[in-house]
C-alpha cells in the first residue's frame, strides 16, 4: 500500500525559501506523476506543480515562477522549493500521487489525463515576521 | 485554467437523507472530473474519478454523473461518517478545484 510522507520547515520569515520533500513508500514511482497542492482559507485548494519520474514538469501559471519541483528517483522522493515567500504562501501543503488515464488519440498523439488518488497528511507552512 | 464552481456552499441534511452537490465547469471538460471528501485536519480523499467511476473501497451510496460542463455528486442514505466537505476537481487542463461544499448535520 502506497504511503506519502513529507517534511520541511513549518515557519518561515518573508523573503525566505520554502523547501518541502515528499517520500513515496510502496508502489511504483515511475508509473505515476507527483504533485504539490496547497490549501488556505483564502484560496481553498490550489494546485502548484507536477513532476514525473523523468523530471518532466508543469506548473500553475498563476503562481508565476517562484516554485520549482525536482525529483530524486534513487530515493523515490520529490521536492518543492519556493523562493521569496510572503504571508500569502501561508497554507497547508500536500504532496499527492496522480494516476494516469488514457484519454484517446488527439492530433495523432496519445493523450493522458491524471487525477490525484493518494495524498500525504500535509504540512502547515506559516510565513510570518 | 478551467474554473469550476460548486453549489451549494453549505448543505444541511440528516442521517438517512439523499443529497446532491453540483459542480459546473467554465468550459467542456468531457468527463475529466474527480470528487473528493475532506474532514477537518486531514487530506482530501478520492471518491470518484472520470465523473462517475467509484474509487475502490468507497461505499456505493456515493455516485457521480454528468459530462461536459455540469456534474453531480449524490450521496444516498447519509451516514454519520459522511458529514464533511466535498470538492470537485477538473483534470482536463491542469488542475482546478471547486470551492467546496460543507455537508452539515441538520
Amino acid at each position: 500500500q502506497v504511503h506519502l510522507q513529507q517534511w520541511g520547515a513549518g515557519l518561515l520569515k518573508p523573503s525566505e525559501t520554502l523547501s518541502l520533500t515528499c517520500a513515496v513508500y510502496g508502489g511504483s514511482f515511475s508509473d505515476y506523476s507527483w504533485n504539490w497542492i496547497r490549501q488556505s482559507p483564502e484560496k481553498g485548494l490550489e494546485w502548484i506543480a507536477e513532476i514525473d519520474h523523468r523530471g518532466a514538469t508543469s506548473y500553475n501559471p498563476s503562481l508565476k515562477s517562484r516554485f520549482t519541483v525536482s525529483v530524486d528517483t534513487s530515493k523515490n522522493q520529490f521536492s518543492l522549493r519556493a523562493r521569496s515567500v510572503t504571508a500569502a504562501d501561508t497554507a497547508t501543503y500536500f504532496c499527492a500521487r496522480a494516476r494516469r488515464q488514457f484519454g484517446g488519440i488527439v492530433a495523432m498523439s496519445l493523450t493522458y489525463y491524471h487525477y490525484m488518488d493518494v495524498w500525504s497528511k500535509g504540512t502547515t507552512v506559516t510565513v510570518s515576521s | 485554467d478551467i474554473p469550476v464552481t460548486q453549489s451549494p456552499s453549505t448543505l444541511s441534511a440528516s442521517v438517512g437523507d439523499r443529497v446532491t452537490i453540483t459542480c459546473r465547469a467554465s468550459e467542456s471538460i468531457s468527463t475529466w472530473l474527480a470528487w473528493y471528501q475532506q474532514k477537518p485536519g486531514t487530506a482530501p480523499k478520492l471518491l470518484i474519478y472520470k465523473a462517475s467511476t467509484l474509487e475502490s473501497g468507497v461505499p456505493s451510496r456515493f455516485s457521480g454523473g454528468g459530462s461536459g460542463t455540469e456534474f453531480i455528486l449524490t450521496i444516498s442514505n447519509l451516514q454519520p461518517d459522511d458529514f464533511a466537505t466535498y470538492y470537485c476537481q477538473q483534470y482536463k487542463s491542469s488542475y482546478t478545484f471547486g470551492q467546496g461544499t460543507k455537508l452539515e448535520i441538520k
Side-chain angles (χ1 to χ4, degrees):
Chain A
Q1 183 165 344
V2 66
H3 172 65
L4 304 184
Q5 184 169 346
Q6 66 180 95
W7 62 88
L11 181 60
L12 297 171
K13 291 182 169 51
S15 81
E16 290 186 335
T17 297
L18 178 154
S19 180
L20 298 171
T21 297
C22 183
V24 179
Y25 299 101
S28 167
F29 191 77
S30 59
D31 288 344
Y32 300 88
S33 61
W34 305 95
N35 290 263
W36 290 99
I37 304 103
R38 67 183 182 181
Q39 184 174 31
S40 64
E42 297 78 21
K43 291 209 162 184
L45 286 163
E46 184 177 37
W47 172 72
I48 302 171
E50 180 173 58
I51 192 166
D52 69 14
H53 70 285
R54 299 164 300 171
T57 59
S58 61
Y59 293 92
N60 185 333
S62 68
L63 296 176
K64 300 181 184 178
S65 57
R66 292 191 302 118
F67 290 86
T68 303
V69 288
S70 58
V71 66
D72 184 342
T73 55
S74 68
K75 297 180 180 178
N76 282 6
Q77 293 177 2
F78 60 108
S79 299
L80 176 73
R81 287 174 63 86
R83 55 180 173 80
S84 304
V85 296
T86 69
D89 294 310
T90 295
T92 298
Y93 287 74
F94 299 97
C95 55
R97 184 181 82 170
R99 191 189 298 168
R100 189 173 71 170
Q101 272 189 291
F102 180 61
I105 298 174
V106 177
M108 299 184 67
S109 295
L110 300 179
T111 301
Y112 294 91
Y113 298 98
H114 301 78
Y115 59 91
M116 293 147 200
D117 65 341
V118 180
W119 295 59
S120 65
K121 291 184 177 180
T123 295
T124 299
V125 175
T126 302
V127 181
S128 174
S129 55
Chain B
D1 266 22
I2 302 177
V4 288
T5 305
Q6 284 180 239
S7 60
S9 298
T10 307
L11 185 55
S12 296
S14 303
V15 172
D17 283 355
R18 181 174 183 261
V19 298
T20 297
I21 299 169
T22 299
C23 180
R24 290 186 173 87
S26 62
E27 61 184 80
S28 177
I29 57 171
S30 183
T31 54
W32 305 114
L33 186 104
W35 289 96
Y36 298 88
Q37 176 195 68
Q38 187 178 32
K39 296 180 180 178
T42 69
K45 172 190 172 185
L46 177 68
L47 298 175
I48 286 169
Y49 60 94
K50 208 167 186 299
S52 61
T53 304
L54 203 63
E55 172 70 347
S56 175
V58 175
S60 59
R61 62 180 181 273
F62 291 90
S63 63
S67 66
T69 61
E70 190 149 335
F71 303 86
I72 59 169
L73 171 70
T74 300
I75 312 171
S76 303
N77 187 23
L78 270 173
Q79 297 300 298
D81 191 49
D82 299 338
F83 293 94
T85 301
Y86 292 85
Y87 295 93
C88 61
Q89 178 211 35
Q90 69 81 21
Y91 54 97
K92 180 178 186 291
S93 175
S94 288
Y95 306 96
T96 46
F97 294 86
Q99 79 278 17
T101 295
K102 186 175 183 180
L103 177 56
E104 299 178 329
I105 301 175
K106 187 183 287 184

